[in-house]
Amino acid sequence: MSTSLLLAQLLNGLQYGVLLFLLAAGLTLVFGIMSFVNLAHGSLYMLGAYAFAVVGTQTDSFLLGVLAALVTGLLVGYVLEKTVVARLYQRDHLDHVLATFGLVMFFNEMVRMLWGPQALFVSLPDALSGTVELFGFTYPSYRFLIIAVGLLVAVGSQWLIHRTRVGMLIRAGSVNPTMVGALGVNIRFLNAMLFTLGAALAALAGAMAGPILSVQSGMGESVLITTLVVIVIGGIGSVQGAFYAALIVGVADTLGRSYLPLLLRQIADREVANAAGPALASMLVYVLMAVVLVVRPQGLFPAHKDK
Amino acid sequence: MKHTHSTFCLAWAALLAANTAMADVKIGFSAPMSGPVAAVGQDQYDGFILGLERLNGKFGGQTVTVLKEDDQLKPELGNQIARKFIDRDKVDVLVGLGFSNVLMASLPRILESGTVAIATNAGPSTLAGAGCAANVFSIAWQNDGSAEAMGKYAQDAGFKKVFLLAPNYQAGKDNIAGFKRFYKGQVVDEIYTQVNQPDYSAEIAQVQAAGVDAVFVFYPGGMGVNFVKQFSQAGLMKKLPLLSAFTVDGTTLPSLRDAALGSVSGAMWDVALKAPGNADFVAAFSKKFGRTPSLYAAVAYDTAFLLDIAVKKVNGKTDNKPAFVAAVKAAGTELKSVRGPFKFGSNNMPVQNYYAFQAVKDGAAITVKQLSTPLAEHPDVYASLCKAK
Amino acid sequence: MCSRFLLPAWAWVFFALLACVPWYASATDDNFLTAFLARVLIYAIAATALNIALGWGGLVSLGHALFIGLGMYSVALPALAGISNGWVHLTVCVLSCMLVGGFTGLMSLRTSGIAFIMITLAFAQMGYFVLVSLKQFGGDDGLAVVAASDFGAFNLSSAASVYACALVLLLLLTVWMMKLRESPFGMSLRAGRQNSRRVNAIGLALKHYQLTAYVLSAVLCGVAGMLLANLNAYASPSSMSWVVSGDLIVMVVLGGMGTVAGPILGSFLFMGVEEVLKHVTDNWMAVFGLLIVAMAMLGKAGVVGWWQQRAKADHKKVSTTGDVA
């Protein structure tokens, strides 16, 4: 096991983690503060990716694509909040599950009706398609952009939540929404804004993932589960927690995939290792989550201290 | 008033009589029409319908009705759809049957009923070997075929060390095994990744560290788009030959475009193939559907013509199941396939050529060019395990 | 009135109609109907099982499809080894579901809320990955069930026999559920869903009841899986994916969580509407999705809940939401 490979894998884990964070940030806010189980988060991610792909390829501009994704996220998020989500706050979590389950089906089909079943082509400007030599490996420069954007969102959300009045209201709302409402804050407007923000973040994640992943109907499902795992490990409602958990999950998953089969080969023969290795590697993230949940159910970095 | 009423009744009766006189061939078509591999299902349906159209909507002179079902890539649904086609719709032939796992789950009722079933997208090793059945055919390929062709290609090209990647499920393992069957060099490593894994940067880093001459992958559908995009972005497409099966094909090339340039894929058909009737098929498909066909469409197109020959052989009497089964088998030898030489082996799997194609630029568009034919009229390795007549 | 004849009148009519199906199907030469409804009944059994944990216990498990899978493989694997004795299959099924259900239940019940949902999901995914990687047992391609369960007096080799078995089982289960719901066990469980602290304060160890409910629902799901394997003559890991667990939850909630008729109705609605819509439009998923959203927004605790509230309103009684469970 060479050190340069290990370093390269660490970097890979980091950027996969940052990609997960972009998705997890929006979801954990909606989940934790509004206590709304939003399974349609993956669909918002998908819509963002589609907007980026369509506009980006038409205009040949990366920035316009990202902008289109953000606008789509904001619009769809706002409309969803006003029509569906707002009516469901008082309800059981299961009603949320049911409603967003239906939305996922609807969006998947809608996207297929509009753009067909094939994956969409996404173009990257030449400036971002290059590679960088790092640790003896060629590394796509675009991944660094993802890391940069992720860190920006992390810093930005930290600032928003801890340094602004809105952030204070958000934090207060996560502890006691009724009181916040009673104090004269327009809690409905706050919730709408929060949901829209979450949707925009999801769409941004979709736009950033567009160039490296397949943009097609149903692309949200495969990342949704991992995102849920991330926010549970990090602590629901905590963006900080989501950041650290995303990095942990990203690194653990990447290193697990790379080194578990190798480790297994030391103790068992090749056939068994080839069969068991990938299975164990895919289970690793779930085992990690199960351990965290049993040992510290509120997550590793919860939003507020439990009594 | 009374006059028109009686004329109407007479006309209606005449129509009914005419209809019952003409036998109808019912086709039950099933494929994944939704979800991540919907592009494959759509191509298959479109290819089949195009073939039917060119035969003027008739197989062997009999009018054809096609019933379409979406198996959603769910084996349980495949099972239910097979029952529906056989028990309720009483179809003469089941066409499509989807991916290997859906196909296998649909088999029990199909085997029980003896109805002709033609798989257009799979040829699992179980079905090719011990689990073979006289009434179940694959007109597509035996699953290992394309990978075997790439193994032979790699062997002939003189690659000393290779790296193998596939998803961790049955088809992935079969493809890797197929590649190794014909490649005699050194396999530095083989990695089975998680199904629908989004990020391959870890595996790509391992490939770089391994210092190999070539890489072989099997990543169907969205996984292929993900992998090839990321492989190309890491700058490896220029440095390392990428050999693949079912990864770069007609359904993924439009979204990959330049990212796939230079990669070599093994398949029994592609757009550039110089086979009789192929250019005609490609032109007709492109004109009707506004996109280039994939190998999935070509297979389905062939199926229509195969059934035409088979129904002609039994003079439209498709209810005599054993006779129809024999006719379908014999029709395989007479079929003028768009992929070149074709016939059914003893285990009802295709015996056909497997070619190597390379993705090249043609002006502004991306297309493929035929490199060689690593395996000609190649039967599969499981035929000896099949004990059916 | 209900306890006299075990079930309300309309329930008997419902079951009687269902009992006529195999005869109707063979009369109209539409054996597909039997197979289709058999599948609906099997999922109704699974949904009823889930309801014990979900509707009464408030335990939202996204991993119950794991037990369906265990049930399926407890038929497929012995059959592969040449054992077709249905009682052996049943024993394997019950034992494995008790073991796995007990273990996962113990682990999961240390958490609650969202954490509980996620951990049950994790266990189901782990089971799924293990089975997909096992090439000897078919892996992702699944395993054909070479010998149907033979219980001596009857066997499950045809769709009609599976249908009959499923119907009888569902009937027995429904009667049992009606009794269980009002039994001390059921009442404690349902009380725990409303206010766990109070239940514990009274002196009832709620965790024990919850674990029992969880394991019971696991075993019943396993039995449903056994029937499914016999119906399809096939066992496939995809039947234990989280999507199936999600479908089960949708069925229970759609029909009416916590009620007895709810899961059954939910199963019929979910699968029936899907089948009907498929004939109407190719884009049925969009319509179905919107229908589900509408159902969720109506929020009258599922169809049964909505019906019960209507009935209560008719009698001019004041109904409170949350009373339905």
Side-chain angles (χ1 to χ4, degrees):
Chain A
M1 294 194 245
S2 69
T3 17
S4 57
L5 179 61
L6 182 62
L7 285 171
Q9 298 295 37
L10 273 172
L11 185 61
N12 281 328
L14 230 72
Q15 63 77 25
Y16 178 48
V18 167
L19 196 62
L20 283 175
F21 166 68
L22 281 175
L23 263 171
L27 190 57
T28 197
L29 277 178
V30 169
F31 230 146
I33 294 165
M34 295 156 47
S35 197
F36 184 79
V37 182
N38 186 17
L39 293 181
H41 198 75
S43 301
L44 292 164
Y45 159 83
M46 175 179 74
L47 289 173
Y50 264 89
F52 171 78
V54 169
V55 174
T57 339
Q58 290 277 29
T59 61
D60 233 350
S61 158
F62 180 79
L63 276 172
L64 277 181
V66 174
L67 214 66
L70 280 171
V71 168
T72 310
L74 287 168
L75 269 173
V76 176
Y78 186 73
V79 168
L80 269 184
E81 209 277 335
K82 281 290 169 234
T83 51
V84 176
V85 178
R87 290 173 223 264
L88 294 174
Y89 286 139
Q90 305 305 328
R91 306 281 193 67
D92 202 57
H93 279 174
L94 281 168
D95 280 335
H96 303 169
V97 168
L98 198 62
T100 48
F101 182 88
L103 282 174
V104 170
M105 281 184 90
F106 172 72
F107 280 127
N108 275 341
E109 191 59 29
M110 187 195 85
V111 148
R112 203 165 67 82
M113 283 196 284
L114 289 174
W115 288 290
Q118 279 194 359
L120 281 191
F121 171 67
V122 173
S123 62
L124 257 189
D126 285 329
L128 294 168
S129 327
T131 58
V132 173
E133 273 287 326
L134 213 60
F135 312 128
F137 295 92
T138 48
Y139 209 75
S141 15
Y142 182 70
R143 302 282 183 143
F144 287 110
L145 182 64
I146 296 181
I147 297 180
V149 170
L151 288 175
L152 217 75
V153 170
V155 167
S157 54
Q158 264 302 89
W159 172 81
L160 176 76
I161 292 182
H162 290 275
R163 296 290 160 98
T164 64
R165 189 156 180 278
V166 174
M168 194 173 65
L169 292 172
I170 292 174
R171 278 181 287 137
S174 78
V175 179
N176 198 332
T178 342
M179 188 59 93
V180 176
L183 285 171
V185 176
N186 188 348
I187 197 89
R188 278 174 47 200
F189 175 71
L190 190 68
N191 282 340
M193 213 198 63
L194 207 55
F195 189 83
T196 314
L197 178 67
L201 279 172
L204 177 66
M208 297 310 294
I212 55 170
L213 297 180
S214 174
V215 178
Q216 57 184 56
S217 169
M219 65 187 282
E221 268 74 281
S222 42
V223 275
L224 182 68
I225 295 282
T226 325
T227 315
L228 283 171
V229 170
V230 164
I231 65 173
V232 164
I233 293 180
I236 298 173
S238 158
V239 176
Q240 202 179 22
F243 183 69
Y244 295 126
L247 291 181
I248 293 174
V249 168
V251 171
D253 186 50
T254 309
L255 289 181
R257 277 187 280 136
S258 331
Y259 290 109
L260 253 177
L262 283 168
L263 279 170
L264 271 173
R265 256 178 239 163
Q266 315 285 359
I267 51 173
D269 69 68
R270 208 150 215 216
E271 269 298 311
V272 176
N274 276 341
L280 282 176
S282 30
M283 292 203 285
L284 185 64
V285 177
Y286 293 103
V287 171
L288 187 66
M289 179 183 76
V291 167
V292 168
L293 283 178
V294 167
V295 165
R296 200 176 145 91
Q298 66 271 40
L300 292 177
F301 310 95
H304 46 274
K305 300 282 170 287
D306 275 344
K307 23 216 141 9
Chain B
M1 276 288 263
K2 237 175 158 176
H3 260 300
T4 41
H5 190 229
S6 44
T7 4
F8 177 76
C9 282
L10 271 170
W12 188 239
L15 200 67
L16 272 174
N19 262 341
T20 43
M22 199 159 52
D24 206 359
V25 175
K26 249 197 216 167
I27 308 285
F29 180 89
S30 69
M33 307 294 288
S34 60
V37 289
V40 171
Q42 190 61 50
D43 253 22
Q44 298 222 306
Y45 184 68
D46 290 342
F48 189 71
I49 294 299
L50 179 67
L52 185 59
E53 229 179 59
R54 307 202 95 198
L55 290 163
N56 297 314
K58 294 198 172 99
F59 288 157
Q62 315 289 332
T63 351
V64 175
T65 346
V66 179
L67 302 164
K68 179 172 78 159
E69 284 282 346
D70 172 16
D71 65 34
Q72 296 178 45
L73 201 55
K74 291 182 183 163
E76 230 187 88
L77 275 183
N79 189 295
Q80 182 171 294
I81 290 170
R83 278 186 187 274
K84 179 166 174 285
F85 280 155
I86 294 173
D87 292 327
R88 171 174 285 182
D89 301 319
K90 317 258 189 288
V91 299
D92 298 295
V93 190
L94 285 100
V95 173
L97 302 170
F99 281 67
S100 295
N101 55 356
V102 178
L103 165 63
M104 295 304 293
S106 319
L107 281 181
R109 187 72 192 100
I110 296 176
L111 295 176
E112 213 178 20
S113 72
T115 317
V116 170
I118 304 181
T120 56
N121 196 27
S125 47
T126 339
L127 189 61
C132 66
N135 62 321
V136 183
F137 299 84
S138 168
I139 194 178
W141 45 75
Q142 199 282 312
N143 284 356
D144 300 6
S146 309
E148 289 176 332
M150 283 291 94
K152 181 93 180 6
Y153 176 86
Q155 179 67 16
D156 294 342
F159 294 128
K160 299 273 184 305
K161 301 197 267 184
V162 297
F163 203 103
L164 311 177
L165 293 135
N168 186 29
Y169 69 133
Q170 201 53 39
K173 299 190 187 150
D174 285 344
N175 269 265
I176 299 286
F179 183 90
K180 289 199 285 191
R181 204 168 290 138
F182 281 80
Y183 176 73
K184 305 295 167 228
Q186 185 197 359
V187 173
V188 171
D189 207 352
E190 57 191 73
I191 297 188
Y192 297 95
T193 56
Q194 201 182 335
V195 176
N196 286 330
Q197 180 176 308
D199 192 33
Y200 295 95
S201 44
E203 287 77 18
I204 291 173
Q206 284 178 277
V207 168
Q208 289 193 53
V212 292
D213 305 321
V215 181
F216 169 75
V217 300
F218 164 72
Y219 280 124
M223 291 187 271
V225 178
N226 289 358
F227 183 84
V228 176
K229 265 193 192 178
Q230 294 167 28
F231 190 80
S232 161
Q233 278 169 3
L236 289 183
M237 200 60 93
K238 305 189 198 86
K239 288 200 220 164
L240 218 49
L242 178 68
L243 311 177
S244 67
F246 298 107
T247 309
V248 178
D249 60 41
T251 56
T252 54
L253 205 50
S255 54
L256 287 173
R257 294 203 203 163
D258 287 34
L261 268 181
S263 67
V264 177
S265 57
M268 33 42 90
W269 181 95
D270 209 318
V271 176
L273 183 62
K274 307 246 181 308
N278 192 27
D280 191 33
F281 159 65
V282 175
F285 191 95
S286 310
K287 182 153 173 251
K288 185 171 164 83
F289 298 108
R291 64 179 194 274
T292 336
S294 66
L295 72 170
Y296 310 108
V299 169
Y301 184 77
D302 274 347
T303 314
F305 288 89
L306 178 86
L307 285 172
D308 179 45
I309 300 171
V311 174
K312 216 177 283 177
K313 273 191 189 297
V314 288
N315 291 317
K317 296 200 188 20
T318 51
D319 21 328
N320 182 347
K321 290 189 178 156
F324 192 38
V325 167
V328 171
K329 182 114 176 203
T333 328
E334 292 172 29
L335 176 67
K336 301 269 178 290
S337 167
V338 292
R339 65 188 94 166
F342 178 88
K343 74 169 196 265
F344 285 121
S346 61
N347 55 358
N348 292 350
M349 291 284 132
V351 176
Q352 61 195 357
N353 291 354
Y354 289 92
Y355 311 96
F357 297 98
Q358 187 171 40
V360 293
K361 235 172 151 67
D362 179 21
I366 306 289
T367 181
V368 290
K369 116 177 154 212
Q370 186 182 345
L371 288 179
S372 63
T373 309
L375 295 170
E377 297 191 48
H378 175 69
D380 60 271
V381 71
Y382 303 100
S384 53
L385 294 170
C386 171
K387 299 286 181 286
K389 11 62 271 97
Chain C
M1 184 200 51
C2 289
S3 50
R4 231 353 202 7
F5 298 106
L6 295 172
L7 288 176
W10 60 265
W12 284 118
V13 172
F14 180 69
F15 279 107
L17 276 174
L18 282 177
C20 297
V21 166
W23 280 280
Y24 172 76
S26 46
T28 54
D29 196 22
D30 184 12
N31 290 309
F32 171 66
L33 190 65
T34 316
F36 173 71
L37 284 175
R39 190 159 164 262
V40 177
L41 286 176
I42 290 171
Y43 275 101
I45 295 175
T48 310
L50 180 63
N51 191 32
I52 302 173
L54 173 63
W56 299 353
L59 308 169
V60 183
S61 166
L62 253 183
H64 261 60
L66 171 68
F67 304 113
I68 296 184
L70 280 176
M72 291 182 96
Y73 277 91
S74 55
V75 173
L77 291 178
L80 192 67
I83 305 170
S84 64
N85 188 331
W87 300 109
V88 175
H89 294 168
L90 188 62
T91 320
V92 172
C93 170
V94 171
L95 278 177
S96 58
C97 286
M98 277 177 72
L99 273 168
V100 177
F103 175 72
T104 56
L106 259 171
M107 291 284 110
S108 313
L109 280 168
R110 296 186 54 150
T111 66
S112 62
I114 304 290
F116 182 84
I117 304 178
M118 294 306 295
I119 205 171
T120 52
L121 171 68
F123 283 126
Q125 290 287 83
M126 287 191 234
Y128 174 75
F129 286 133
V130 165
L131 272 169
V132 166
S133 326
L134 288 173
K135 193 174 174 158
Q136 313 89 291
F137 301 144
D140 178 67
D141 276 352
L143 196 57
V145 172
V146 292
S149 301
D150 188 355
F151 288 94
F154 63 97
N155 65 33
L156 296 177
S157 55
S158 72
S161 54
V162 175
Y163 181 87
C165 190
L167 188 59
V168 169
L169 230 84
L170 187 64
L171 181 61
L172 291 171
L173 201 61
T174 311
V175 171
W176 188 32
M177 287 299 118
M178 290 207 75
K179 293 222 148 101
L180 197 62
R181 193 164 179 268
E182 313 299 329
S183 72
F185 170 75
M187 297 288 261
S188 316
L189 199 62
R190 289 162 59 203
R193 179 169 166 246
Q194 291 184 347
N195 196 326
S196 53
R197 269 193 205 149
R198 232 181 239 177
V199 173
N200 280 315
I202 295 177
L204 298 165
L206 186 62
K207 281 274 185 285
H208 292 175
Y209 287 97
Q210 287 178 331
L211 184 62
T212 315
Y214 188 85
V215 174
L216 182 63
S217 68
V219 170
L220 289 171
C221 271
V223 173
M226 268 188 67
L227 289 171
L228 197 59
N230 277 296
L231 178 69
N232 293 343
Y234 209 79
S236 166
S238 67
S239 299
M240 54 205 279
S241 77
W242 69 275
V243 180
V244 178
S245 296
D247 285 346
L248 279 178
I249 295 183
V250 172
M251 282 183 219
V252 174
V253 180
L254 200 62
M257 203 167 61
T259 65
V260 176
I264 304 175
L265 204 61
S267 170
F268 272 85
L269 261 179
F270 188 80
M271 305 188 100
V273 171
E274 182 176 321
E275 193 64 24
V276 164
L277 276 179
K278 272 190 204 169
H279 291 289
V280 173
T281 165
D282 257 350
N283 301 313
W284 61 274
M285 274 204 225
V287 181
F288 197 31
L290 285 177
L291 278 176
I292 294 182
V293 176
M295 194 66 232
M297 291 196 8
L298 278 177
K300 304 292 183 193
V303 175
V304 175
W306 173 73
W307 184 258
Q308 283 179 337
Q309 285 187 3
R310 264 197 63 194
K312 277 204 187 126
D314 281 346
H315 288 127
K316 289 200 167 62
K317 276 199 200 131
V318 175
S319 67
T320 51
T321 49
D323 195 16
V324 185

